[in-house]
Amino acid sequence: MIGYSLNSGLNKLDLVLSHYDPDGATLLSSTTLAGFAAVNFDNINASLALSPSAIYAAATRTAPNGKANLAFVKYDLAGSTQVIKSWSNSIFGGDDIPSRVILDANGNVLIAGRFGDTGSGSHLALWTYGPAGNLISAQTVSGANGAQDIAVSTNNVVWLAVEGIAEPANFTTADGKSDIWGIEVLSGTVGGATRIWAGENNGLAS
């Protein structure tokens, strides 16, 4: 399991990976990354995904400017830290909060959450990392609320639970538009009808 623990000496939150026995009664080992997040964050989160050879975490990390950044952390199966990467939304200046991390059929690490914009609030975000920690894409839909959960079907189709949308939404990306300003598409069934949302620089088209 992964979560945060108060570090009173630093007055910050440590990110702690804990390994318990199958009954959950005995702590076998733990790995601590000290001073990972500020204590005054209202929305912090950490989530785990397990592959046959590694443990992946998506977590909230405090940036030097005090904003929340997305952190990608890779551990080996013994819990030793292998890779730490931070994704900073430096252009729009908001907080970037992960909700859930999952692996796709190719072994890539998909992180669903929300992307912060100090001018217009938070929006849906989907980050994709390679198994080694290389960022493949950072995709957003401006005008759609944050993603609360993510699932990948057997044919590698990504489905998101999006705040404010009752039905699961299928996430696809327009060709060549995978950067932060690109056009992304959400399709889902709402009220029995299929709807498509296209996120653009100037808002959300439906």
Side-chain angles (χ1 to χ4, degrees):
M1 61 180 290
I2 196 165
Y4 294 91
S5 177
L6 178 63
N7 185 324
S8 56
L10 295 176
N11 194 30
K12 289 186 176 181
L13 298 175
D14 296 343
L15 183 69
V16 182
L17 175 72
S18 301
H19 178 202
Y20 286 84
D21 68 2
D23 294 329
T26 303
L27 177 65
L28 301 177
S29 63
S30 64
T31 303
T32 299
L33 297 175
F36 211 76
V39 297
N40 60 346
F41 275 156
D42 292 329
N43 295 300
I44 63 172
N45 198 24
S47 178
L48 284 180
L50 183 66
S51 80
S53 60
I55 302 167
Y56 298 97
T60 306
R61 188 179 194 181
T62 304
N65 64 1
K67 295 296 183 180
N69 284 352
L70 164 72
F72 168 99
V73 186
K74 179 182 179 181
Y75 305 89
D76 65 18
L77 294 182
S80 297
T81 307
Q82 303 294 300
V83 178
I84 304 175
K85 296 283 184 73
S86 291
W87 190 88
S88 175
N89 171 14
S90 58
I91 296 175
F92 297 101
D95 293 329
D96 307 306
I97 309 293
S99 296
R100 183 84 160 85
V101 59
I102 198 170
L103 304 180
D104 68 11
N106 299 317
N108 292 321
V109 183
L110 308 182
I111 301 171
R114 59 183 175 88
F115 159 89
D117 183 343
T118 54
S120 59
S122 61
H123 313 292
L124 182 150
L126 177 67
W127 296 270
T128 303
Y129 284 85
N134 53 305
L135 179 66
I136 296 174
S137 64
Q139 302 163 294
T140 68
V141 175
S142 177
N145 293 323
Q148 303 298 309
D149 204 352
I150 183 172
V152 180
S153 67
T154 54
N155 58 346
N156 234 24
V157 174
V158 176
W159 291 89
L160 298 174
V162 181
E163 182 181 350
I165 299 177
E167 303 293 336
N170 171 219
F171 188 95
T172 58
T173 306
D175 291 341
K177 299 291 184 179
S178 61
D179 59 40
I180 204 67
W181 299 281
I183 300 173
E184 283 75 47
V185 177
L186 281 171
S187 66
T189 303
V190 178
T194 298
R195 293 183 61 187
I196 304 294
W197 292 267
E200 304 179 3
N201 287 342
N202 59 355
L204 187 71
S206 175

